[in-house]
Amino acid sequence: MSVTSRYREAWEGFWRAAPEEQGAVFWDAEPARTAARHLALFEPHLAAVGLPVVDLGCGNGTQTRFLADRFPRVLGVDLSAAAVEHARRADPAGQADFRQFDAVEGGEARQLHAELGDMNVYMRGVLHQCEPADRQPLLDTVATLLGDRGRAFVVELSEAAHPVLMGLVQGPAGPPPKLAPVFAHGLTPAGVDDDAVPGYVGAAGLAVVAQGELPLATTEHTPDGTPIELPSHWMVLGRGD
C-alpha cells in the first residue's frame, strides 16, 4: 500500500511553494516550544536511549536538527521530496540525515528497520493529516520501526483543534497568512476523532506507556498578536505484551 497520488502531490506542491526561512510554515515553531517540551516528556520513558531516532514527517527538519544535538544518530523522513530538499538545505553542517519515505508503505518500513534496527520515533502532527485509509498503515509503520525496544512519542491535534482552525479560516479577514497555504493545497488538519486513535494504536500491536494534553505551538498569531496554540494530545507508545 502507498499513499494516493493526490495526497503526495498536495504535499509536494505545499513544500515547493513554502518559503525557505525557518518559521514561515504554520507548524514550524522553534524547538523550545515544540520538540524540547516533547523531549522532556519522552526521555523518561525511553527503554533504550542509544537507539537511532527517526523524526517521522520531518518537513523542513527544524525539530530534526534539535534532536540531532541530543542523540547520536537522527534521521528525518518525509513523504515529500521537496520537504527533504528544504531540510537538507537548512542543514549544511549535516547534523542529521534526511530521506524521502512513504510511511504507509510497509515494505519501506521493513527495509528501514532492516538497515537501522530498532528505533525511537518522534512523530508530530502526521496522523491527523492522513487520509482515512492511511491511518492504520501509518501506526503499523511506527510499530515496525520500534521493533522490540523502541518507543515513540506521538503528538496529534485533538478534536477540539478543529473548531479553532475553522474559526481562523472563516474569520472576517480570512485565514492567517501562514495557515492559508495549508488549505489552498488541499490539506485538511485535525481530521481524526479522538476516540479512534486508541484503536489504531492497539491494532498495530502497541501500548500507551504515558499520555497527556499539551497545546501544540504554531508560528501564527491572532490579529491582536496572541500566539496561536492548538489543543493536542500526546502519547508515548511501546510494544504491547
Side-chain angles (χ1 to χ4, degrees):
M1 180 177 181
S2 183
V3 297
T4 64
S5 59
R6 184 214 67 83
Y7 184 71
R8 187 187 298 272
E9 289 164 6
W11 279 109
E12 288 292 355
F14 176 86
W15 281 112
R16 281 196 298 267
E20 292 285 333
E21 62 268 21
Q22 184 177 324
V25 171
F26 181 69
W27 52 78
D28 191 30
E30 60 269 24
R33 299 174 61 215
T34 49
R37 299 172 73 186
H38 299 152
L39 196 57
L41 298 167
F42 189 24
E43 281 191 305
H45 301 286
L46 292 177
V49 178
L51 298 181
V53 174
V54 172
D55 182 4
L56 183 54
C58 67
N60 61 357
T62 298
Q63 313 309 319
T64 321
R65 295 191 299 277
F66 173 85
L67 295 171
D69 281 337
R70 286 148 183 84
F71 295 97
R73 180 167 188 186
V74 176
L75 172 66
V77 298
D78 201 279
L79 172 68
S80 166
V84 170
E85 289 307 312
H86 267 272
R88 288 173 177 161
R89 288 194 297 270
D91 186 24
Q95 288 177 275
D97 295 325
F98 296 97
R99 69 177 70 172
Q100 191 176 9
F101 180 76
D102 185 341
V104 305
E105 211 293 303
E108 291 193 29
R110 290 188 292 273
Q111 182 177 350
L112 185 56
H113 186 266
E115 176 187 343
L116 298 183
D118 292 357
M119 295 162 243
N120 293 315
V121 173
Y122 177 70
M123 187 171 81
R124 180 176 67 111
V126 178
L127 183 66
H128 78 89
Q129 285 279 13
C130 284
E131 295 183 331
D134 293 337
R135 293 168 189 162
Q136 188 61 59
L138 174 63
L139 265 296
D140 293 344
T141 282
V142 171
T144 297
L145 299 182
L146 297 187
D148 295 325
R149 299 179 296 150
R151 292 280 169 85
F153 187 87
V154 175
V155 58
E156 294 292 338
L157 297 185
S158 64
E159 284 182 56
H162 186 72
V164 176
L165 286 166
M166 291 303 100
L168 293 170
V169 171
Q170 297 166 4
K178 295 178 186 177
L179 182 58
V182 177
F183 288 89
H185 285 89
L187 304 170
T188 53
V192 182
D193 294 339
D194 293 347
D195 292 343
V197 176
Y200 298 131
V201 171
L206 298 175
V208 177
V209 177
Q211 61 184 319
E213 306 294 327
L214 184 70
L216 192 67
T218 78
T219 60
E220 264 294 8
H221 298 77
T222 61
D224 67 2
T226 303
I228 294 173
E229 294 188 327
L230 300 173
S232 72
H233 181 76
W234 63 267
M235 300 178 292
V236 177
L237 305 179
R239 181 65 63 183
D241 293 332

